[in-house]
Amino acid sequence: MSARLPDFNDLPAGDGVLILSPEGVILSATLQAERLLRRRLEPGGFVPLAEVFPPDHLSQAELAVEEALGAGVSRSNLLAQVYRESGQVVSLKYSVAPLYGPDQKITGVVLTLHDDPLSRAGSELGLGVPTEAVFEHLDRGVFVVNERWRITAFNQRAQEITGFSPEEAVGRFCWEVFQADRCKRGCFLRATLEDGATRQDQRISVLTKAGERLDLLVSTAPIKNKRGAIIGGVETFQPLGLVVIEAPEAPAPLGEVEIVGRSAAMKRLLEMLPDVAAKALVSKSAGALCGLQLLHPGGNPHRIRTLRPRQRSLYRRGDP
């Protein structure tokens, strides 16, 4: 009977850590690293970098390890592709740091494999191209957060819209970058991570790097593992334009107002107004503060002038 193949999906999720000696011998490895690489990493085993990184990404990894061992330099969030034991190629981010012994001498290197939800989703596209190639050519901004609300991916279109580069955005809390009007209350992405429901075409206002308020139309979706647990979220967005604060409408100016009447009945009514006005008695004692002045005769009998209300301060006490 053949041995049962290990189910790496049963291993805990999260960032994986692989500690190597200068010769490439495994000193220690976490279960998360085994899950990401889909291979057993037994202490004392040997893992050449060429078995982990494809040729296009091998030189970057070798340089990072060399700098860590030789000069104590650390590198963070390097984007690369890695081999799995089955031969499958996936994209992920990794960091390299030196390992110091009790005498403060460098004794190895710490390779951290970041559990990037976007990379896991992209590894199943089957297009034969790097995930970032698809990610970068979308016509709208996209960013991904993990369950700790840290941005793990930020595409080129997102940079064009917000002004923040991927280097400035990745690793920060999403609200630090977007400063949206809904970040503190009513965040659509937070609601999606809590209930697992997608939300489409929701309007928010964000603050760009240049300090401009910008209206965005956003959609959110959860990212789940094979067990159905939510491990992150993705938000897409597109601009609606700069926010324009509309000035309040000015009140209609006092002055002449045309009254236009086309019907015969309206014309007869307008012709009667001068005679009615001539018979009207407007008394100051009635306290009238406004009225109508009919321009007739000599003027257009169909035009009415509105009079500005008099201020009460103009009347002397005791006036009738």
Side-chain angles (χ1 to χ4, degrees), residues 19 42 54 65 67 77 131 136 138 145 151 153 211 239 261:
I19 302 177
E42 298 291 342
V65 170
E67 290 178 339
N77 291 317
T131 302
E136 292 299 333
L138 296 175
V145 298
I151 295 176

Side-chain angles (χ1 to χ4, degrees), residues 270-304:
L270 293 176
E271 289 173 355
M272 293 172 56
L273 284 177
D275 294 335
V276 175
K279 297 178 182 179
L281 179 61
V282 180
S283 174
K284 243 187 343 182
S285 62
L289 299 180
C290 63
L292 299 177
Q293 180 182 352
L294 300 171
L295 304 183
H296 184 69
N300 187 346
H302 298 171
R303 177 174 293 181
I304 293 179

Side-chain angles (χ1 to χ4, degrees), residues 51-103:
E51 291 186 6
V52 177
F53 296 93
D56 292 343
H57 298 271
L58 179 59
S59 59
Q60 174 185 257
E62 289 178 336
L63 178 60
V65 170
E66 180 181 343
E67 290 178 339
L69 292 173
V73 176
S74 298
R75 300 291 183 187
S76 301
N77 291 317
L78 300 174
L79 183 61
Q81 290 181 313
V82 298
Y83 287 129
R84 285 177 171 171
E85 194 170 39
S86 63
Q88 182 187 17
V89 178
V90 297
S91 299
L92 52 72
K93 293 178 182 177
Y94 68 98
S95 300
V96 180
L99 175 67
Y100 290 93
D103 56 358

